[in-house]
Amino acid sequence: MIEVYCPPPYFVPTGDPIGGANFTSLATGLNFALLGWKAFQSEIVACENRLESRVLSSSASLDESDKAFFVSLCIWFLNMFKGYRAAAWKVSYFLAVIGMACGVAMLFEGIASPYGLILMLPLTMRVFITWIPLYGLIAWMRIGTSIMKTLSKYRKAQAGIKSFALEAGKQVSDVDKRS
Amino acid sequence: MPSKRNEKELDNYRQTVERLAELDSSEVFSNGRPEHAAIIFSTFLKHAKDRVVIFCQNLSREVFDDPCVLSNLESALDRKVKVEILTQESPAATNFLAKEKSWKEQGLPISLKTAAKGSPVAEVNANFAVADGKAYRFEPKRVKVEAFACMNNPEAAADLVNLFGKMYRAVA
């Protein structure tokens, strides 16, 4: 048995597990999940577009040296955001599956249908509220650590050019002198 | 055949590298695929004003037979940009070699040398390229196509150009 949080005023059992009302419940649950999914997708795409245009307009007002760093930082950020979006898709799929599972559960439990929509609401909200900030937080942590890691890796690598040039130069000169 | 997504990624990479070159940025960026290397060489040649030096293993076909690299190299030579190439093994890029021959015949400023097998130059582990004494691409291990590049680091570029000079003179 799947336990679903149901506020008491909306919990209306019919006691008829195969009544038409229960199929409506399944359809309503699924429909609601799909609507949420669609809205979520379009919001993320819009957010990404807003971000992209903000990046371009902001970079135009910076001076040259800052601009380069800012541009590469933003490219990183956009890439990470795309990663976040991919993760968000997974959440929305999860949402749709939950909608279906909930509808099926309601069907078997014999919970009344027109209220399926209302029953779905706290559950859906819970998924949104729990998962989205978590993914956001993970995405920001990944951005931070990836920038720090990459910068330190390049700093070390750039410092390695000098020692490589000296060592290889010495190797070539020594052979020159011997010959 | 590159997929659409792959093409889009390469296009994004090309735009980023172009933008960094236009900004004369000192930001270091990575490249992990032969296509990326081709984009970087192509950008170096497109923006070069004076001299480009390339030290590589064997002028791989994936990079140096790339049409974009060849056309930007031709236009750089037309602008009298001096291009010096030193390879550690016999060059593999056949289209490049054919064009190089004709450019030399036209008196364009390109030169290509190959190190003798077993010589110290042939044993150097890293590969690199420098454009105009400030932009560089450095591949710490030549067996892996994993490198990093920068459009404006005169200090590192000078170290690499000095080394290139020594190696170029050492090769007969």
Side-chain angles (χ1 to χ4, degrees):
Chain A
M1 177 179 154
I2 298 171
E3 285 184 12
V4 180
Y5 168 69
C6 313
Y10 306 124
F11 185 75
V12 188
T14 60
D16 174 14
I18 49 165
N22 291 309
F23 286 107
T24 318
S25 167
L26 174 67
T28 316
L30 184 61
N31 202 24
F32 187 79
L34 288 172
L35 275 175
W37 176 18
K38 285 271 173 205
F40 189 47
Q41 278 182 336
S42 58
E43 181 49 39
I44 285 177
V45 170
C47 190
E48 197 177 277
N49 290 341
R50 278 201 298 275
L51 188 74
E52 207 140 19
S53 61
R54 198 169 297 172
V55 166
L56 289 174
S57 59
S58 308
S59 71
S61 61
L62 291 167
D63 70 54
E64 290 301 295
S65 57
D66 287 336
K67 212 187 263 184
F69 181 69
F70 184 76
V71 167
S72 49
L73 195 72
C74 289
I75 289 161
W76 251 316
F77 180 74
L78 282 172
N79 285 338
M80 293 307 296
F81 191 80
K82 279 171 188 161
Y84 169 55
R85 193 177 69 168
W89 286 163
K90 284 176 198 156
V91 176
S92 57
Y93 279 117
F94 177 65
L95 198 68
V97 171
I98 288 280
M100 283 176 74
C102 200
V104 172
M106 283 189 286
L107 187 72
F108 283 103
E109 289 297 312
I111 297 169
S113 71
Y115 300 98
L117 177 69
I118 301 157
L119 286 173
M120 285 297 297
L121 195 64
L123 186 83
T124 314
M125 289 310 289
R126 192 177 289 181
V127 171
F128 263 99
I129 291 162
T130 316
W131 286 94
I132 305 306
L134 187 67
Y135 271 106
L137 186 68
I138 292 169
W140 276 106
M141 281 169 68
R142 278 178 61 195
I143 294 167
T145 50
S146 132
I147 290 173
M148 295 312 289
K149 266 188 197 167
T150 315
L151 284 179
S152 78
K153 185 178 146 193
Y154 287 150
R155 256 185 238 124
K156 278 182 198 162
Q158 281 212 107
I161 289 181
K162 197 169 194 68
S163 55
F164 156 76
L166 283 172
E167 205 175 302
K170 199 168 170 282
Q171 194 182 326
V172 174
S173 306
D174 286 350
V175 174
D176 263 2
K177 278 174 200 163
R178 279 202 298 273
S179 60
Chain B
M1 186 91 180
S3 67
K4 246 185 180 178
R5 189 175 170 174
N6 194 11
E7 270 176 31
K8 201 181 164 198
E9 272 173 25
L10 286 177
D11 207 41
N12 282 342
Y13 189 83
R14 182 175 289 110
Q15 281 176 20
T16 309
V17 174
E18 277 285 337
R19 196 178 294 183
L20 290 170
E22 279 159 17
L23 294 170
D24 223 6
S25 165
S26 54
E27 227 19 71
V28 184
F29 56 97
S30 65
N31 85 257
R33 285 163 52 186
E35 294 94 323
H36 290 165
I39 289 170
I40 293 173
F41 282 120
S42 171
T43 310
F44 279 180
L45 292 161
K46 187 177 169 187
H47 292 266
K49 292 184 179 83
D50 179 39
R51 183 188 180 204
V52 176
V53 301
I54 298 169
F55 173 62
C56 63
Q57 190 176 6
N58 65 347
L59 284 178
S60 74
R61 299 181 75 166
E62 287 161 300
V63 178
F64 290 92
D65 273 351
D66 181 273
C68 214
V69 171
L70 289 173
S71 94
N72 282 344
L73 175 56
E74 187 158 26
S75 63
L77 292 170
D78 287 338
R79 297 195 307 273
K80 302 291 170 210
V81 172
K82 199 174 170 190
V83 178
E84 289 164 301
I85 302 168
L86 178 57
T87 65
Q88 298 176 292
E89 293 167 16
S90 302
T94 45
N95 290 347
F96 175 91
L97 285 176
K99 289 219 170 205
E100 190 254 351
K101 203 178 163 190
S102 90
W103 291 328
K104 261 189 181 164
E105 282 166 7
Q106 291 168 45
L108 293 172
I110 185 166
S111 63
L112 171 64
K113 279 187 181 181
T114 300
K117 209 176 173 185
S119 68
V121 173
E123 298 303 315
V124 172
N125 200 25
N127 284 170
F128 60 85
V130 181
D132 285 344
K134 61 176 185 176
Y136 73 83
R137 176 184 178 273
F138 185 71
E139 201 174 85
K141 285 177 186 161
R142 63 183 184 184
V143 283
K144 273 187 181 179
V145 192
E146 273 176 24
F148 56 91
C150 177
M151 290 298 173
N152 187 15
N153 185 340
E155 205 183 321
D159 289 333
L160 295 174
V161 168
N162 285 340
L163 173 63
F164 184 86
K166 275 183 193 171
M167 294 194 296
Y168 203 73
R169 283 191 297 275
V171 174

